[in-house]
Amino acid sequence: MTEARIAAIDVGNDSLKAIFGKVEAELNIPNVIAQDVADRPVIGIEELNEQNPMDGIHIRLHSPTLKDNNAIYRVGNLATKSGSSTELDPGSNKSEEDQTLVMLFAALALDAARDENKSNFKRNNNVIEATYTLGTGLPLREVKEGKDVGYRSQLLGSVHQVEFLVTPKYQGIKVNIKFDEVKIYPEGFAAFINLVMDNNLNIINKELIDKQILIQDIGGLSTDVAVIKNRKVDDDKAQGFNLGVSESLDAIREEIYARHGVELDSRLDVVEIITKKNDRNHIMVKGSRTSVHDIVDRILLDLAKKQYRHLRNIWQRNSQSEICYFIGGGSIVLKDYLKALNNSLDGYNIDFFEDEKESVWMMANAYYKLISDFARKNQKAQRKEDEKLVKTK
């Protein structure tokens, strides 16, 4: 029997991050989709297979979990070039959006179709049968509302087919995706696991393990604040807010277009402008380097003040907290503003991850640690069961 392949996937509001197998494959895809037609026009169709599949994800999806079943999508980089692309809206529930599932299935199919996985999954002509053990997560707010139960059962109970249409290298391939197990983790708890444990769940930060700490995870559409006490999330104190960076990124994008006539394709384009090492907060206008610092500062400072208000309120209700870690893509965007506010106001003990990749990939890394540990224990239990059966015979 073919063994299930481990997949740890964080469907973030700005981009999907995924880790597969024994950390030999990673994916990072902008969380942008656009409905499309089956036969999309391509310039230089003869050279299609020389292109990167990541730049041309074009798929048809069959799954009973989708509200819009059998639809055709451009995904990621290709979708950003469409005039009808969609990004997740503020206030939406990740567990109830087709877009979350489209991104999840697309990432799994891209992994399954890799040449390196030909020995991992059964292939019959152009159809791949792929089974995964999936670790993923939802915002604390959705887990507290019990939405993880329905989300998990939807994924587990069906076969989900991804058909690659005009996609480089994978055109004509169909991937049937099944799950032997799905684990849905609360995002705040996952962040704590990543802070204190290595890939084998050995404790690496002993000084944090028994502290009361706050984790403020700033995402695209929402912010989760987890209160960690006695090595677990305090469910009663954990809070989620419909306040992320996406609306601010959209506002920056719109003002840049209104003032300079420069159209940016996606929120990730805005993030790149405001976080790049060189020429930060500058764009090219008619070939000239132009500052957008005033636009960025005004909009992001306003958001940072709202985020700081949440930090203050949470800390007042959890006065024995020793430190607050800011994580997530939004924390990278707001880091300088939050530090400046904290220095001039309350002076809380706060910290950020200087390694930006570590902060952005924190959830995916945590899901990987947790699902890998689950798979190891499951295999060990199965071996013991098999040994018992052999002895009884």
Side-chain angles (χ1 to χ4, degrees), residues 180-181 373-383:
D180 75 334
E181 184 56 89
D373 183 63
F374 166 81
R376 275 194 300 270
K377 287 175 179 172
N378 209 36
Q379 285 169 1
K380 193 174 178 182
Q382 188 61 54
R383 279 196 299 270

Side-chain angles (χ1 to χ4, degrees), residues 63 121 156 166 291 306 354 387-388:
S63 171
F121 299 128
L156 266 177
V166 191
S291 173
K306 293 173 183 174
E354 297 307 321
E387 287 166 8
K388 278 184 188 174

Side-chain angles (χ1 to χ4, degrees), residues 148-316:
D148 55 319
V149 178
Y151 185 55
R152 177 178 179 271
S153 64
Q154 275 189 316
L155 292 173
L156 266 177
S158 307
V159 176
H160 318 278
Q161 187 183 83
V162 178
E163 179 184 356
F164 287 106
L165 301 175
V166 191
T167 301
K169 296 180 183 170
Y170 303 144
Q171 186 170 10
I173 291 176
K174 293 179 181 179
V175 183
N176 292 329
I177 298 166
K178 290 185 287 189
F179 301 101
D180 75 334
E181 184 56 89
V182 174
K183 293 289 186 182
I184 312 287
Y185 302 107
E187 290 175 350
F189 172 68
F192 173 67
I193 290 294
N194 203 60
L195 278 170
V196 301
M197 295 178 178
D198 65 13
N199 278 353
N200 296 312
L201 296 192
N202 297 315
I203 294 169
I204 51 173
N205 279 326
K206 289 183 179 176
E207 71 278 7
L208 284 182
I209 196 73
D210 289 318
K211 284 185 177 181
Q212 179 172 316
I213 64 176
L214 306 177
I215 298 174
Q216 189 154 332
D217 176 17
I218 306 174
L221 302 182
S222 62
T223 295
D224 281 331
V225 184
V227 181
I228 311 294
K229 293 168 67 176
N230 302 320
R231 307 189 184 194
K232 61 183 180 181
V233 175
D234 186 329
D235 290 334
D236 295 325
K237 299 289 182 69
Q239 292 193 39
F241 308 97
N242 289 326
L243 177 69
V245 296
S246 292
E247 280 188 285
S248 297
L249 297 177
D250 289 342
I252 292 168
R253 184 166 56 171
E254 287 162 14
E255 191 160 337
I256 286 174
Y257 180 71
R259 192 184 298 186
H260 299 291
V262 172
E263 191 166 1
L264 302 170
D265 289 333
S266 70
R267 293 167 186 161
L268 276 181
D269 289 342
V270 183
V271 171
E272 189 177 329
I273 287 164
I274 61 186
T275 59
K276 60 186 177 183
K277 302 299 179 196
N278 300 315
D279 277 348
R280 181 174 293 188
N281 293 332
H282 283 79
I283 60 172
M284 297 304 293
V285 180
K286 298 176 183 176
S288 299
R289 180 176 170 276
T290 304
S291 173
V292 290
H293 209 287
D294 57 332
I295 298 173
V296 172
D297 267 3
R298 186 182 74 256
I299 293 171
L300 291 189
L301 180 58
D302 182 58
L303 176 60
K305 286 177 180 176
K306 293 173 183 174
Q307 289 285 353
Y308 195 79
R309 221 169 287 139
H310 283 311
L311 171 69
R312 178 184 280 158
N313 292 338
I314 293 285
W315 211 308
Q316 283 174 349

Side-chain angles (χ1 to χ4, degrees), residues 325-387:
Y325 285 96
F326 282 91
I327 66 168
S331 70
I332 295 167
V333 170
L334 295 176
K335 179 171 68 174
D336 293 342
Y337 302 96
L338 288 167
K339 280 183 174 180
L341 285 169
N342 192 51
N343 288 339
S344 63
L345 295 172
D346 302 280
Y348 291 115
N349 185 18
I350 65 175
D351 202 0
F352 295 80
F353 288 87
E354 297 307 321
D355 182 338
E356 292 184 359
K357 184 180 177 185
E358 184 181 359
S359 186
V360 170
W361 281 79
M362 179 168 280
M363 292 304 173
N365 286 330
Y367 302 153
Y368 183 81
K369 292 173 183 180
L370 290 163
I371 199 64
S372 297
D373 183 63
F374 166 81
R376 275 194 300 270
K377 287 175 179 172
N378 209 36
Q379 285 169 1
K380 193 174 178 182
Q382 188 61 54
R383 279 196 299 270
K384 283 186 177 177
E385 197 63 37
D386 291 344
E387 287 166 8

Side-chain angles (χ1 to χ4, degrees), residues 139-151:
L140 278 166
R141 174 180 57 83
E142 293 188 51
V143 174
K144 284 180 78 171
E145 291 170 5
K147 296 185 187 298
D148 55 319
V149 178
Y151 185 55

